[in-house]
Amino acid sequence: MASQEEQVQGMLQHAEQCSSTHQPLPTLEQLRASLPPGASVVMVVTCCDPRVLPDQFLGGFGMKVSEVRNAGGRASEALRSIICVDHVLGVGAVIVIHHTDCGLTHLRNDFLHKSLTEKAPNNAAEIAKMDFLEILDLKASVIEDMKILKDSPYLKKDLKVYGYVYDIKTGELQDVKE
Amino acid sequence: MASQEEQVQGMLQHAEQCSSTHQPLPTLEQLRASLPPGASVVMVVTCCDPRVLPDQFLGGFGMKVSEVRNAGGRASEALRSIICVDHVLGVGAVIVIHHTDCGLTHLRNDFLHKSLTEKAPNNAAEIAKMDFLEILDLKASVIEDMKILKDSPYLKKDLKVYGYVYDIKTGELQDVKE
């Protein structure tokens, strides 16, 4: 079994091999110019869980999809990224995908506060303020996140927002309606 | 040319096709149990730019890699996710990858504050406090982010932190040393 160091070195070697046949990617300016007039990219907001790979189950993303990944796939944290991408490429639609058996459905703020305070007792005040964006109910978390995006005064008023729960057992995307 | 609505519908249809041959993915508990004793996952922190696809140039991620993506691939924002993954699977190494021609090297906080204030003048005070984590110098941003992770009292003291700049022209990963 390869150690983690060997695993990382293997990944880096793969990157070196890839670069030998690499075709230059378009600049941001070329990418923007390649979108049809008035068009914009789709953003996918999803979890960093190793089991959730939207670029596989949604098809090859190509250059028209920007993917934000964070623990839980939470929109509040993704907002900065969406605003940035909106300013460089334009964002017309966001797809929020949370998933069953997500770590954030197992973790609680209280537990994490306790665990981190044991690790760094001097930072207790900072830790107490941390919000890990725990998920108590998957459908509710998707609805909450869709609402954050739809109501944001910083995004387009006609932004299309889609929300799904990805079932890791069946591979199905369950449509979540507000 | 497909409209954005058609593009999204195409992605969802692809997901439906995928689910018909989907094999149940391991539960988080099974995933944790499948790691060798003492082992943990590698996390990759990178940009949500459509051109940057580490799961391709670093090789198939499999179930041992968790990928966080946000505008710029900034560690300060990724910290919540890394702490969460560390508590459910364990994190032994983090690879930070920023890239040339990143949107965050073109965007400035001042510009975004002005743009958003025009869009939502009533929110001027909130907007003025927003930090979009702009990048003035790519090597410096990687070093800054590696330092955030290495110095974090919330992560393992022996956490391995690697930092690279991905060159979108050559496909090369430029090793960044502190």
Side-chain angles (χ1 to χ4, degrees):
Chain A
M1 187 77 67
S3 72
Q4 198 152 56
E5 177 69 28
E6 286 166 340
Q7 186 194 353
V8 171
Q9 292 310 321
M11 290 161 79
L12 296 173
Q13 275 165 26
H14 191 280
E16 206 173 323
Q17 284 161 12
C18 279
S19 72
S20 67
T21 55
H22 181 84
Q23 296 297 314
L25 290 162
T27 63
L28 210 46
E29 205 179 330
Q30 288 166 339
L31 196 58
R32 197 184 304 119
S34 73
L35 295 169
S40 47
V41 296
V42 173
M43 288 195 76
V44 173
V45 177
T46 195
C47 187
C48 57
D49 189 292
R51 296 166 297 172
V52 179
L53 301 171
D55 58 328
Q56 290 184 8
F57 64 70
L58 293 178
F61 275 177
M63 295 285 170
K64 287 183 183 172
V65 178
S66 161
E67 184 190 37
V68 173
R69 302 187 67 169
N70 64 47
R74 302 313 308 258
S76 53
E77 194 173 86
L79 200 55
R80 178 190 66 88
S81 299
I82 300 173
I83 292 171
C84 289
V85 175
D86 194 33
H87 276 80
V88 290
L89 292 171
V91 175
V94 183
I95 308 175
V96 175
I97 304 174
H98 296 176
H99 67 99
T100 58
D101 195 40
C102 178
L104 281 201
T105 65
H106 300 296
L107 291 170
R108 292 289 166 263
N109 275 329
D110 284 355
F111 165 78
L112 286 164
H113 290 161
K114 190 165 174 283
S115 168
L116 295 183
T117 305
E118 280 166 13
K119 206 174 265 182
N122 294 337
N123 297 43
E126 180 180 87
I127 293 165
K129 284 186 217 149
M130 291 179 178
D131 182 2
F132 290 93
L133 308 174
E134 59 181 18
I135 294 177
L136 300 175
D137 176 287
L138 271 171
K139 200 181 153 198
S141 67
V142 172
I143 289 174
E144 183 185 334
D145 283 12
M146 291 172 77
K147 196 169 157 49
I148 287 172
L149 300 177
K150 281 186 182 168
D151 293 352
S152 173
Y154 309 125
L155 303 176
K156 291 184 183 73
K157 281 198 186 358
D158 61 350
L159 182 75
K160 290 266 196 307
V161 181
Y162 306 82
Y164 297 91
V165 172
Y166 176 69
D167 187 319
I168 64 154
K169 273 196 195 154
T170 65
E172 283 168 8
L173 284 180
Q174 297 158 350
D175 197 354
V176 176
K177 301 281 187 208
E178 280 177 280
Chain B
M1 186 79 68
S3 71
Q4 196 152 57
E5 177 68 28
E6 287 165 340
Q7 186 194 352
V8 171
Q9 292 311 320
M11 291 161 78
L12 296 173
Q13 275 165 25
H14 191 279
E16 206 174 324
Q17 284 162 11
C18 278
S19 71
S20 67
T21 54
H22 181 85
Q23 295 298 313
L25 290 161
T27 63
L28 210 46
E29 205 179 329
Q30 288 166 340
L31 197 58
R32 197 184 305 119
S34 74
L35 294 169
S40 47
V41 295
V42 173
M43 287 194 78
V44 173
V45 176
T46 194
C47 188
C48 57
D49 190 293
R51 297 166 296 173
V52 179
L53 301 171
D55 56 330
Q56 289 183 9
F57 63 72
L58 293 178
F61 275 178
M63 295 285 170
K64 286 185 185 172
V65 178
S66 161
E67 183 191 35
V68 173
R69 301 187 68 169
N70 64 46
R74 302 312 309 257
S76 53
E77 196 173 84
L79 199 54
R80 179 190 66 88
S81 299
I82 300 172
I83 291 170
C84 289
V85 176
D86 193 34
H87 277 81
V88 289
L89 292 172
V91 175
V94 182
I95 307 177
V96 175
I97 304 175
H98 296 176
H99 67 99
T100 57
D101 195 40
C102 178
L104 280 201
T105 64
H106 299 296
L107 291 170
R108 292 289 164 262
N109 275 328
D110 284 353
F111 165 77
L112 286 163
H113 290 161
K114 190 164 173 284
S115 168
L116 296 183
T117 305
E118 279 166 15
K119 207 174 262 181
N122 294 336
N123 297 42
E126 180 179 87
I127 294 165
K129 283 185 217 150
M130 290 179 179
D131 182 2
F132 289 92
L133 308 176
E134 59 181 18
I135 294 178
L136 301 175
D137 176 287
L138 272 170
K139 199 181 153 197
S141 67
V142 173
I143 289 174
E144 184 185 334
D145 283 13
M146 290 172 76
K147 194 168 158 50
I148 286 172
L149 301 176
K150 281 186 182 166
D151 293 351
S152 173
Y154 309 125
L155 303 176
K156 291 183 182 74
K157 282 201 185 359
D158 60 350
L159 181 74
K160 290 265 196 307
V161 181
Y162 305 82
Y164 298 90
V165 172
Y166 176 69
D167 188 319
I168 63 154
K169 273 195 194 154
T170 65
E172 283 167 9
L173 284 180
Q174 297 157 351
D175 196 353
V176 176
K177 301 279 186 212
E178 280 178 280

